[in-house]
Amino acid sequence: MSDSPFANMHRMELWSTFAVYLLAGWSSVQIASRLEVTPKVYFSWGQAVREVVAEECPDLHQWWTTRHYRENLQPPEHIAAQQQAVVTWIETMLNAQHATCPRCGGTRTYRNKGVRPNFKCDPCVTCFSILSGTPLVGMIRPELWVDFVKEVMDGQSIPDLKRRSGLGMGGSTRWREQFLLLIEELGHPELLQWITWMRSRRNNEAVSFVRQGGYLDKATRSVYPQGTRKGRFVSQK
């Protein structure tokens, strides 16, 4: 090991685990906390892992590096499939024309006018939403959901989401939390990990940009009429 990037480094038993965490997109804080190492050790090991991967697995190094520095946001195929599954679920719910009544089990239901998937049961006159019991129930502006969740899955930061959606900072934060809950409920833990990695890199990218004298534009539009509460949830009866 004297001529390797890990020369003179200690705790060899943790190196492979560290490499797995690093390549999986864990943040420096997460890795340092899990392995109980100092920031100095983290950066030393990180540099060593990068050198080894670049030499032994150049294709992997190229793939990982371009995403780590957000030069290429194309996810692997299985992550892309999970992203599409989330979008398809939302579109299917919003465009549904038929539903089963949760009260009587009847199928003679009619969709109410509007973007929200609200229905009325003809036999028992029950009004209901097929979003009940999901993280999206009560959220306003359904026409923004698909574009917003795509930005979330690309790892955009809260200020990015605010600028692009026209929501307030609080609304963007709450929406992001609800969509992450939805992704979890749909059973896509790998997608959640991808989002965490991409978001950490986006935050790092933005901080570096500002430190170098860059300026991030503020949101120039809002989807809310003046005087309304931004990002609020509508009441459900």
Side-chain angles (χ1 to χ4, degrees), residues 20 53 85 98 108 115 124 136 155 203 205:
V20 170
V53 173
H98 303 283
R108 290 172 54 196
V115 181
C124 69
L136 305 189
N203 289 341
E205 178 184 52

Side-chain angles (χ1 to χ4, degrees), residues 102-233:
R103 181 177 180 182
C104 70
T107 56
R108 290 172 54 196
T109 57
Y110 304 91
R111 177 164 176 154
N112 297 334
K113 292 183 179 180
V115 181
R116 303 184 64 80
N118 297 325
F119 291 81
K120 181 177 181 179
C121 178
D122 188 43
C124 69
V125 201
T126 296
C127 295
F128 63 94
S129 170
I130 60 174
L131 293 175
S132 295
T134 75
L136 305 189
V137 64
M139 283 177 55
I140 63 174
R141 305 305 295 264
E143 67 275 12
L144 300 179
W145 292 358
V146 170
D147 288 339
F148 191 92
V149 78
K150 287 180 179 179
E151 298 288 348
V152 170
M153 293 189 294
D154 280 341
Q156 300 298 338
S157 66
I158 296 299
D160 291 328
L161 296 173
K162 177 180 182 294
R163 280 192 297 272
R164 299 180 185 189
S165 68
L167 297 170
M169 190 68 78
S172 298
T173 301
R174 288 190 291 273
W175 276 35
R176 180 181 180 276
E177 291 173 351
Q178 296 308 110
F179 280 117
L180 291 179
L181 284 175
L182 175 66
I183 293 170
E184 182 179 7
E185 290 188 4
L186 293 178
H188 301 307
E190 292 176 322
L191 176 55
L192 289 175
Q193 185 61 43
W194 170 266
I195 293 171
T196 299
W197 182 28
M198 289 294 100
R199 188 187 181 201
S200 72
R201 303 322 306 160
R202 171 54 185 159
N203 289 341
N204 183 74
E205 178 184 52
V207 169
S208 298
F209 177 72
V210 172
R211 285 178 176 174
Q212 294 171 6
Y215 176 77
L216 295 175
D217 294 335
K218 295 182 179 180
T220 57
R221 69 185 184 90
S222 174
V223 299
Y224 302 103
Q226 187 174 3
T228 62
R229 291 179 57 196
K230 297 180 178 180
R232 72 187 188 283
F233 283 59

